[in-house]
Amino acid sequence: MTMRGLRSICAVAVSLCTLLLGACGARNAPVAHVQDSGPPAIRYEDHLAAGGELPKGAVPTNPNANDPAKVQAGGVLFTAMNCDGCHGGGGSGWVGPSLADGRWRYGGADAEIFASIYYGRPKGMPAFGGQLGTDGVWTLVSYLKSLNPKEDVATESWVATH
Amino acid sequence: MSWRRALAATMLAAAASHPLLAQGAAAGEWTMPGKDYGSTRFSPLAQINAQNAARLHPIWTFSTGVLGGHEGQPLVVGDTMYVVTPWPNVLYAFDLKEEGYPLRWKYRPPASPNALGVACCDSINRGATFADGRIVYNLLDGHTVAVDAASGRQLWSTRVADMAEGETTTMAPLVTKDRVIVGAAGGEFGIYGWVKGLDLKSGQILWTAHNLGPDADMLVRPETFHPPYDSGPDAGRRSWAGDSWKIGGGPVWGSVSYDPQLDLIYYGTGNPSPYNSEQRLGDNKWTSSVLARRPEDGALVWAYQFTPHDNWDFDATGTMVLADLVIEGKPVKALVHFDKNGFAYTLDRKTGRVLVAAAFANANWATGIDLTSGRPVTDPGKQTGASKGNVKGICPSLEGGVSPASPPAYSPRTHLFYTAINNLCMDYAASRAARVKGTPFIGANTPYSPGAGGYLGGFIAWDASTGRKVWENKEAYPTWSGTLATSGDVVFYGTLDGWFKSVDAKTGKMLSKFKVGSGVVGNPIAFLAPDGKQYIAIYAGIGGDWSLLSGDVRADDPADVRAPADFLKDIARHTSQGGMVWIFGL
């Protein structure tokens, strides 16, 4: 099933495979980057640390930065990997939380979003690291970061209708 | 005790005219999801009637402590009321003998939180059933459990569904003799849909019957399978392009009905996967269908497909109500079903043949149902698929002319069926989807818009012998609650903005209403408490699809803020999440 699913993605989104240079083609290659640099630290923006001392851990940086091609490829991947099936089109929220409201359960820093996608999270977020590898996950991170609104999504617009 | 005599007389009258009603529990109890094997949701209690219903008021409430959508209904067995919450699927047992109905016990199963990411549409549970001293229900994470009704001790827990395949378990099981019948949700995950028969005593899985695929997997045997309309051998495989049946959906997430005389169970199957129908050309049997099986060994006896090649997500998981009707002067053992596709069907439940079919809601994907072939007469302009682009203005929407989460009721006194309805249409833009096991497998964007008439929901009385609407109450919002009919000729339902209403069964005139604090997506029940009085119980707790569609109705997660829903912008003015059990009395 898994392999057929991935072949379908490649068939549909040939350009995606080209862009990702690995999410499809290197499906069977070992996932190297993360192991090389140690696990990404799960550092929440407003975390608490016992004794005020943060746990040690590598904090990998997004190799894509804001590369527009990666942002675009991440948008394609967001649909191709069915992320929109839970998080809604454009990450606006569905059965999974909104990813476009500038608020994050597990932190909104690049490495934190990477950890959420790569390893999964409790309450139903599957681990996608096995399917996407490091490059694929960073590509999604680039896309999601591009969604961040400048301010919180307004929730009071029904007031304006009265 | 005059109420007892009146009750006995009512029961006898009901039993004489409706053998299905005589099955199972005493009149004052509610021991299975749909009240009786026929899922009529008709209570023979009559203390509350059209003359006094205006006096109904809340007499007791209880917070479940859970915020997910509170679908389903409580059970009342003897002097105990049982309530199952949405995930984490806590089971509460309340002592109805004591003032304030304190808990006898509380059972907290180890329901995996991973299920929250595999359930398509909120963390719902559609209720428990009682049999042989056990409360049997499904956990969202794919387990069926049996709990001792007296002590709350777990008797068995069986893993029936596989979350790694996209399966979760939201449906209400039914027990027939010593079989527990269960099915799995996952039509949005490309599951290979099934029902299973478990041994009530041990929880052991005795048979598994797929709803699609080769005859061997479907438990189709030539000597026992007699579909009303010819389908040929291996229809569940040959009506699919290539191997598409292997990930073709056909979930079971509603409820099951049973006719003890015919010894047949009836249940509806959900949509074929994915929503992009061009990845699964063919009729896609037996998705969006009703299947009749032998509970003993699961053998398929007949099947009928409401929506062949469903390309609108018109699941047929809505309740199959069994009632004995008179059609054109002849008595008929009927099965009545209000489908998501907007048509109400009256079938002969012995054969599966369609006797009456008519639109009960605004429907334009088909102009009618051809009774000779059993097939819908479809509008070619409303067919969807990735190559067709954005197909606009399809009615009803994929929320359904009625939701399968909103079971109807049948009153043998008025001979009418009562159901909530929705008045929504949709655009349908399909796109190619890839299946990644355990993730959604959908391939369509389907924004909704209000149907004609300026209202989004309603509540109707329906004559299933003729296929005619008898009366209709319009509602401002999509109407998502189940229905209760009673011998007092009072019918009950709730609204998405949180009103619990009673109406006159004959006219639809509103008799009482009360704002219960959260939108109603559950099903009312009637019961007789140990004090000899009739009460009505209902859950409040908006959710299910409305946790996805209502915009920002939650307040418990600061990391999830959404814009108001675009087709019901002000619903969050009227309701927010929160599960409560309400009991009303005179």
Side-chain angles (χ1 to χ4, degrees):
Chain A
M1 293 293 184
T2 297
M3 291 311 290
R4 185 187 30 227
L6 276 171
R7 274 202 297 277
S8 302
I9 294 168
C10 293
V12 175
V14 174
S15 60
L16 173 67
C17 294
T18 314
L19 285 168
L20 288 176
L21 293 174
C24 296
R27 172 70 184 84
N28 298 319
V31 176
H33 297 74
V34 167
Q35 281 84 345
D36 289 347
S37 50
I42 301 171
R43 293 176 55 156
Y44 301 4
E45 287 177 46
D46 296 304
H47 53 266
L48 292 170
E53 198 166 343
L54 292 173
K56 292 188 170 51
V59 183
T61 50
N62 185 350
N64 304 330
N66 299 321
D67 180 349
K70 295 289 186 183
V71 168
Q72 193 190 358
V76 175
L77 202 55
F78 191 76
T79 302
M81 291 308 292
N82 307 322
C83 309
D84 56 346
C86 286
H87 292 286
S92 58
W94 193 238
V95 67
S98 170
L99 306 174
D101 58 359
R103 302 180 179 202
W104 301 91
R105 279 186 187 168
Y106 305 108
D110 281 15
E112 291 162 338
I113 300 173
F114 180 95
S116 293
I117 302 171
Y118 193 91
Y119 292 116
R121 293 289 187 185
K123 301 181 79 174
M125 172 68 187
F128 280 88
Q131 281 276 312
L132 288 174
T134 315
D135 290 346
V137 174
W138 280 127
T139 305
L140 275 171
V141 171
S142 295
Y143 167 68
L144 292 176
K145 292 292 282 193
S146 79
L147 298 178
N148 272 352
K150 289 192 175 64
E151 297 171 12
D152 282 355
V153 171
T155 61
E156 304 82 21
S157 57
W158 47 264
V159 173
T161 66
H162 287 264
Chain B
M1 298 284 275
S2 64
W3 63 269
R4 282 194 193 277
R5 281 202 303 276
L7 186 62
T10 311
M11 283 172 69
L12 281 174
S17 59
H18 281 274
L20 287 169
L21 298 181
Q23 305 293 333
E29 300 187 306
W30 196 285
T31 63
M32 55 182 90
K35 169 63 177 156
D36 44 49
Y37 284 136
S39 303
T40 65
R41 294 181 184 271
F42 174 77
S43 166
L45 300 178
Q47 288 179 29
I48 297 166
N49 57 45
Q51 282 70 48
N52 63 22
R55 285 166 33 209
L56 281 167
H57 61 277
I59 61 113
W60 182 85
T61 60
F62 182 87
S63 166
T64 66
V66 178
L67 297 184
H70 282 58
E71 295 188 357
Q73 58 288 309
L75 298 178
V76 173
V77 183
D79 54 17
T80 308
M81 180 172 73
Y82 300 91
V83 167
V84 179
T85 72
W87 183 93
N89 304 126
V90 178
L91 174 61
Y92 292 106
F94 299 96
D95 183 350
L96 299 178
K97 285 205 310 290
E98 266 194 62
E99 185 182 25
Y101 301 165
L103 283 178
R104 288 186 194 282
W105 48 258
K106 165 164 72 172
Y107 164 68
R108 298 185 67 189
S112 168
N114 290 334
L116 297 171
V118 191
C120 76
C121 319
D122 199 8
S123 51
I124 49 164
N125 180 282
R126 296 197 169 89
T129 194
F130 169 84
D132 193 26
R134 294 138 202 260
I135 301 290
V136 180
Y137 70 103
N138 288 321
L139 313 183
L140 189 65
D141 69 3
H143 289 79
T144 304
V145 297
V147 176
D148 182 82
S151 68
R153 187 169 54 90
Q154 179 184 297
L155 299 172
W156 51 258
S157 172
T158 301
R159 197 187 102 164
V160 296
D162 183 359
M163 288 197 293
E165 286 289 348
E167 296 172 348
T168 51
T169 28
T170 58
M171 58 88 76
L174 188 75
V175 175
T176 62
K177 291 183 271 190
D178 54 0
R179 288 285 177 285
V180 180
I181 312 295
V182 298
E188 282 65 43
F189 285 74
I191 69 166
Y192 182 29
W194 48 262
V195 289
K196 297 184 184 192
L198 278 56
D199 177 48
L200 175 61
K201 291 272 185 293
S202 66
Q204 188 189 346
I205 298 169
L206 299 178
W207 54 261
T208 298
H210 286 275
N211 301 320
L212 61 169
D215 280 357
D217 287 10
M218 287 200 65
L219 306 187
V220 168
R221 293 158 194 139
E223 66 275 17
T224 50
F225 182 50
H226 302 290
Y229 307 97
D230 185 40
S231 61
D234 271 335
R237 177 180 61 80
R238 289 151 56 96
S239 61
W240 296 79
D243 282 349
S244 55
W245 55 271
K246 289 182 177 172
I247 50 171
V252 177
W253 48 264
S255 59
V256 182
S257 300
Y258 177 57
D259 182 331
Q261 285 158 355
L262 296 173
D263 193 31
L264 289 175
I265 55 166
Y266 305 92
Y267 66 93
T269 56
N271 61 284
S273 305
Y275 287 15
N276 171 26
S277 61
E278 291 169 3
Q279 290 173 244
R280 46 171 177 82
L281 296 177
D283 272 357
N284 309 139
K285 288 181 165 55
W286 295 93
T287 60
S288 301
S289 301
V290 52
L291 282 73
R293 294 184 183 275
R294 296 272 174 234
E296 178 74 18
D297 61 1
L300 191 66
V301 172
W302 60 258
Y304 167 71
Q305 189 170 45
F306 298 104
T307 311
H309 190 55
D310 179 358
N311 52 104
W312 309 274
D313 185 31
F314 286 154
D315 308 78
T317 45
T319 304
M320 308 297 160
V321 185
L322 312 185
D324 295 347
L325 305 179
V326 175
I327 300 177
E328 291 177 346
K330 289 185 207 138
V332 174
K333 284 180 177 295
L335 177 156
V336 175
H337 170 70
F338 295 85
D339 200 90
K340 265 175 82 173
N341 71 18
F343 288 85
Y345 298 75
T346 307
L347 273 57
D348 179 332
R349 70 174 181 267
K350 280 187 283 197
T351 65
R353 189 160 276 278
V354 184
L355 304 173
V356 180
F360 66 92
N362 183 11
N364 66 8
W365 67 280
T367 54
I369 311 299
D370 174 13
L371 296 187
T372 309
S373 65
R375 296 182 74 90
V377 182
T378 54
D379 177 346
K382 301 299 184 193
Q383 298 283 322
T384 74
S387 72
K388 294 190 166 62
N390 188 7
V391 182
K392 298 200 166 176
I394 299 165
C395 311
S397 81
L398 63 76
E399 297 307 322
V402 60
S403 166
S406 313
Y410 170 67
S411 168
R413 289 175 51 86
T414 60
H415 304 290
L416 295 177
F417 289 77
Y418 302 91
T419 183
I421 62 165
N422 304 308
N423 185 26
L424 293 169
C425 300
M426 66 178 168
D427 299 341
Y428 198 111
S431 56
R432 192 167 178 85
R435 184 166 190 263
V436 180
K437 215 160 68 158
T439 73
F441 181 46
I442 298 178
N445 185 28
T446 58
Y448 307 146
S449 55
Y455 61 103
L456 296 178
F459 189 76
I460 65 169
W462 180 261
D463 181 345
S465 298
T466 59
R468 279 206 311 257
K469 196 188 295 178
V470 177
W471 52 256
E472 174 171 22
N473 292 344
K474 292 180 167 54
E475 292 287 351
Y477 298 100
T479 312
W480 211 257
S481 90
T483 300
L484 165 68
T486 65
S487 209
D489 291 338
V490 182
V491 177
F492 298 84
Y493 70 99
T495 68
L496 206 59
D497 53 338
W499 292 99
F500 184 55
K501 297 184 175 181
S502 72
V503 300
D504 187 309
K506 294 174 182 143
T507 64
K509 184 185 161 223
M510 192 166 64
L511 303 171
S512 71
K513 68 172 182 177
F514 188 87
K515 193 75 159 45
V516 290
S518 181
V520 178
V521 297
N523 312 323
I525 68 161
F527 67 94
L528 207 58
D531 65 5
K533 293 179 182 166
Q534 179 188 348
Y535 296 100
I536 309 294
I538 180 72
Y539 297 152
I542 192 171
D545 288 13
W546 302 100
S547 72
L548 316 178
L549 295 165
S550 294
D552 199 30
V553 291
R554 75 186 302 169
D556 67 317
D557 185 354
D560 187 6
V561 169
R562 304 174 184 203
D566 52 5
F567 66 99
L568 62 174
K569 283 190 185 303
D570 68 344
I571 187 71
R573 285 190 69 210
H574 301 288
T575 191
S576 63
Q577 291 184 323
M580 294 271 284
V581 189
W582 290 80
I583 295 181
F584 289 81
L586 290 174

